[in-house]
Amino acid sequence: MGDIREPLRELTECGLPQALEVMGERWSFMILRASFNGLHHFEEFLTELGIARNILSNRLAKLVEHGILKRDPCPDDRRKIEYRLTDKGFDLLPTMVALRQWGQKYGAEVVENPVLVDARDRLPIGPTSILSHDGRILGPADLSLVERKNLGIRPDGTRAETGGALTQVGVVNLAEARKAKDAA
C-alpha cells in the first residue's frame, strides 16, 4: 500500500483498535444484527439470540455506553426500556453487510434465506466495495497511505478535488444519505 506504513504498535492513531474495543466480539455483532432486524427489548434479544442474561446485559450496556444503541422508554409502557440504534449504530450497517458477505463467501456452504436485497428491485445486493472519493471501486493495488498534509496531492504533483458523495475520510455519510432520500 505504498511507501508509508501505519505505526502498527500504536493503538491510538488508528480507528481499527478503537472499533474493535467496542465491537470486537461475537455477541456485540449479534445484538447489532438483531437490532437491524427490528428487535428492541431485552427479552426479545434474550429469546431470539439464546444469549445468557448477564452477557446480554453487559453487551447492551457497552453498546449504549459507546453510543451505538440508546435506551428509550417504551411508548406503551414507560416502565419498560427499548434499545434503539443511533446514527452511530446505523453507520455500522456497511460493516455488518461486509462481514456477512465475507462469511457467505468463505464460510460453510449456507444457502441464505431470507436473502438481503435492495428494497426497490428485490434483487440481491452487490458485494460491498471500497469506493474512491468519486465513487470508483478500488482494489488492493489502488490503495495507498499518505501523510495528512499530502491529502489530494497526486504522485505527479497535481491536486485532486474530492467528489460529493463521500466524506473526507472516505466513508459514506449514511445519515445524510437517508435525509436526502427522505427529502426526495
Side-chain angles (χ1 to χ4, degrees), residues 67-86:
I68 292 165
L69 294 175
K70 63 181 177 174
R71 291 171 45 103
D72 286 333
C74 290
D76 54 334
D77 184 351
R78 303 201 50 81
R79 294 172 297 174
K80 292 184 180 179
I81 297 295
E82 290 184 341
Y83 292 91
R84 297 279 179 175
L85 287 162
T86 63

Side-chain angles (χ1 to χ4, degrees), residues 51-122:
I51 183 174
R53 184 175 289 276
N54 63 323
I55 293 173
L56 175 60
S57 180
N58 178 285
R59 297 311 184 271
L60 285 170
K62 189 173 186 177
L63 292 169
V64 168
E65 175 188 337
H66 288 282
I68 292 165
L69 294 175
K70 63 181 177 174
R71 291 171 45 103
D72 286 333
C74 290
D76 54 334
D77 184 351
R78 303 201 50 81
R79 294 172 297 174
K80 292 184 180 179
I81 297 295
E82 290 184 341
Y83 292 91
R84 297 279 179 175
L85 287 162
T86 63
D87 284 344
K88 187 175 181 179
F90 276 112
D91 283 348
L92 283 165
L93 182 57
T95 303
M96 296 292 293
V97 170
L99 284 170
R100 178 184 184 137
Q101 290 175 342
W102 184 85
Q104 289 166 341
K105 182 174 181 178
Y106 295 109
E109 289 191 32
V110 175
V111 177
E112 183 185 17
N113 192 31
V115 178
L116 185 59
V117 299
D118 108 48
R120 186 188 75 188
D121 297 332
R122 300 266 194 224

Side-chain angles (χ1 to χ4, degrees), residues 12-53:
T12 60
E13 301 292 324
C14 173
L16 183 59
Q18 295 170 16
L20 289 174
E21 186 66 33
V22 177
M23 295 299 301
E25 61 83 42
R26 174 180 175 228
W27 286 119
S28 294
F29 279 103
M30 300 312 284
I31 293 166
L32 189 62
R33 180 182 75 160
S35 295
F36 281 119
N37 276 279
L39 273 61
H40 303 294
H41 303 280
F42 186 92
E43 295 299 325
E44 291 176 317
F45 291 116
L46 195 64
T47 302
E48 292 286 327
L49 298 177
I51 183 174
R53 184 175 289 276

